[in-house]
Amino acid sequence: MELILRALLCNYFLAGIVSTYTLTDEKNLRTSLLTGYDKELRPGTDRTFPLSVQAAFFLFSINEFDLNTGKLSLTGLFKISWIDERLSWNPVMYNQTNATSFKQNKVWIPNFININPYEDIKGLGSDLISVRVSSTGHCDWFAIQGLEVICDADVTKFPFDSQYCTMKFFIWGYLPHEIDVQFNSSEAFLTLYQENGIWDITDSTSHTQLNFYGYEEIVIGLQLKRRTSYYIVFLMLPKIALTSLLGFVFLLPPESGERVGLSTTVLLSIVLYLTLIQDMLPESSEPSVSLIGYMLVSYVVSGAISVICVIFSLRFQSSCQKPVPGFIMSFVKFCRKREKSLNTVEIFDSKSLEMDENEDSVTWTEVGRLFDKTCFVISLIQLALTSTIFFSLAIS
């Protein structure tokens, strides 16, 4: 225990001795380093070797992703390190001054230029950011930045879509053999990331690549996956439940007089949903139109057909003096026999005998009821089939 206390005391006093430099010492150091310093010249005594630049990207937050305009707005930090031998010194000559800081406009920095900006082309950092320099000439530049880049969205599987967005940078004014950029990690660091309410980050990448002209690009890639819970609860389920009402319209008694009104109201509600989703999606059809758009259009078409079928059904069941056509009569008789064959118990009484005697007669009211049953079944099958196809294609 005594040895541990002695070691701690020795470290404490040594730290006090090492850190005894004053403001005057650091001022003299800065004056000496910047005298004759040309920030337009890149570091490196031997120009036959490229300057090694180490980089890492830390993502803080995703601020906005507008699918209509393709604008991705986020906040992140670049940690960039390099060796500038012109900024090295002997700490003994400056009372053990081991490190100092310079505004980034005072010393040379690798000028990262964003080459896929949403609006103006900007470089990293600002005059408020400093470069930390150690006595060995090691420079650390922590460039925090709000970035706005272009990301073309593929909304084919909306709201189950995933997007891959990239931020591309280029060190302007230097050839590939003059500066060599290397990332400390093949992925972006998410230790400081604040979760976004709409998008999840499933993967990330940070690397360099040569473009078509042979120049090196610095690329930060983010794989984004949409959070679907909100869209399922407040968009998909209400829309499917609303569309299912189209089939139940045919179960309303014709005497109620509400068939046309209900079917028209449901059709207008589906059109409203289509308008809301169109506002969320980009107008461009590249690479493909959203599947949910096709789904809603099919619902609109089925809604329009349902309104027409309701009108025909009411027409059938109204007082009509014209005889029932032969092909319709044959179909009704076939359905009548089919229904009888499914009954396992038959009651033989005077009423059933009368029905047997009149089984060859078919009225328009019976035609209308059979038409309603057929439309009801077809409507539910169409809804189930369309929804199943959409979910199978969107989730796959």
Side-chain angles (χ1 to χ4, degrees):
M1 187 66 179
E2 184 178 356
L3 293 176
I4 296 176
L5 290 175
R6 287 182 180 180
L8 291 176
L9 289 174
C10 289
N11 290 334
Y12 174 79
F13 286 114
L14 287 175
I17 293 174
V18 171
S19 304
T20 55
Y21 69 91
T22 64
L23 175 63
T24 303
D25 296 327
E26 187 171 3
K27 180 180 179 181
N28 294 334
L29 170 64
R30 293 167 59 87
T31 302
S32 175
L33 292 177
L34 294 181
T35 301
Y37 183 88
D38 189 353
K39 66 178 183 179
E40 302 296 332
L41 295 176
R42 72 171 177 87
T45 304
D46 191 348
R47 295 310 212 193
T48 60
F49 293 95
L51 174 66
S52 177
V53 175
Q54 302 294 323
F57 180 75
F58 296 81
L59 180 64
F60 288 170
S61 63
I62 296 176
N63 305 324
E64 179 187 6
F65 188 11
D66 191 340
L67 297 180
N68 286 289
T69 60
K71 174 184 176 182
L72 174 64
S73 175
L74 49 83
T75 303
L77 179 143
F78 276 93
K79 179 183 180 297
I80 304 173
S81 304
W82 67 94
I83 300 294
D84 192 341
E85 66 282 348
R86 297 170 298 176
L87 298 178
S88 61
W89 69 90
N90 186 357
V92 177
M93 298 178 59
Y94 298 95
N95 199 13
Q96 300 299 328
T97 304
N98 294 314
T100 187
S101 297
F102 295 97
K103 293 292 185 182
Q104 70 171 47
N105 59 356
K106 298 292 184 181
V107 297
W108 181 90
I109 57 173
N111 194 14
F112 278 48
I113 301 296
N114 184 12
I115 58 176
N116 66 329
Y118 179 74
E119 290 183 348
D120 299 332
I121 296 178
K122 297 180 180 179
L124 286 184
S126 68
D127 294 339
L128 301 176
I129 299 177
S130 300
V131 178
R132 188 68 176 174
V133 183
S134 66
S135 60
T136 59
H138 182 85
C139 301
D140 286 322
W141 181 33
F142 297 90
I144 186 171
Q145 190 83 13
L147 298 168
E148 294 182 353
V149 297
I150 296 176
C151 181
D152 293 329
D154 181 6
V155 294
T156 305
K157 298 183 178 182
F158 176 89
F160 303 96
D161 54 324
S162 297
Q163 310 294 338
Y164 180 70
C165 299
T166 60
M167 297 170 285
K168 296 183 180 180
F169 299 87
F170 180 74
I171 302 182
W172 201 262
Y174 295 96
L175 298 176
H177 67 272
E178 295 177 330
I179 294 181
D180 180 25
V181 179
Q182 298 178 354
F183 278 94
N184 298 328
S185 173
S186 60
E187 299 179 351
F189 290 95
L190 303 178
T191 53
L192 303 176
Y193 175 68
Q194 297 180 354
E195 293 292 335
N196 184 268
I198 301 178
W199 299 97
D200 274 330
I201 299 179
T202 58
D203 195 12
S204 62
T205 179
S206 55
H207 62 279
T208 59
Q209 64 182 19
L210 294 179
N211 60 16
F212 178 78
Y213 300 99
Y215 289 93
E216 189 176 56
E217 294 178 351
I218 296 96
V219 180
I220 308 294
L222 299 175
Q223 186 70 46
L224 307 178
K225 183 175 180 60
R226 188 186 300 274
R227 299 177 184 266
T228 58
S229 300
Y230 171 84
Y231 299 94
I232 292 176
V233 174
F234 295 101
L235 180 65
M236 304 299 297
L237 294 182
K239 176 172 58 62
I240 294 175
L242 184 64
T243 308
S244 66
L245 296 178
L246 290 173
F248 288 94
V249 168
F250 297 98
L251 299 185
L252 283 175
E255 299 81 9
S256 65
E258 299 294 335
R259 281 190 169 189
V260 176
L262 179 58
S263 59
T264 305
T265 303
V266 174
L267 176 60
L268 294 177
S269 301
I270 297 174
V271 173
L272 177 61
Y273 265 99
L274 179 61
T275 304
L276 293 176
I277 293 180
Q278 282 181 337
D279 294 337
M280 299 179 184
L281 303 179
E283 297 179 359
S284 173
S285 60
E286 295 294 336
S288 179
V289 178
S290 175
L291 293 175
I292 197 173
Y294 290 114
M295 180 183 180
L296 286 178
V297 170
S298 69
Y299 287 167
V300 172
V301 173
S302 63
I305 295 176
S306 296
V307 174
I308 297 174
C309 291
V310 166
I311 295 175
F312 275 106
S313 176
L314 295 176
R315 184 69 176 175
F316 290 152
Q317 301 187 46
S318 63
S319 57
C320 185
Q321 303 300 327
K322 294 183 179 180
V324 179
F327 69 96
I328 297 179
M329 186 178 299
S330 301
F331 179 73
V332 173
K333 290 180 180 179
F334 171 79
C335 294
R336 184 190 297 169
K337 293 180 180 180
R338 178 71 175 174
E339 183 178 358
K340 281 187 176 182
S341 64
L342 296 176
N343 295 329
T344 58
V345 178
E346 294 184 357
I347 301 176
F348 295 94
D349 53 12
S350 59
K351 293 183 178 180
S352 63
L353 291 176
E354 293 177 359
M355 292 176 63
D356 291 337
E357 293 176 357
N358 299 325
E359 64 179 357
D360 290 337
S361 63
V362 175
T363 63
W364 280 107
T365 301
E366 189 176 1
V367 173
R369 291 175 181 174
L370 180 60
F371 182 75
D372 288 342
K373 292 180 182 179
T374 304
C375 291
F376 173 74
V377 174
I378 293 177
S379 178
L380 294 185
I381 292 176
Q382 185 269 338
L383 174 63
L385 185 62
T386 304
S387 302
T388 302
I389 293 175
F390 167 75
F391 281 105
S392 61
L393 293 177
I395 297 177
S396 63

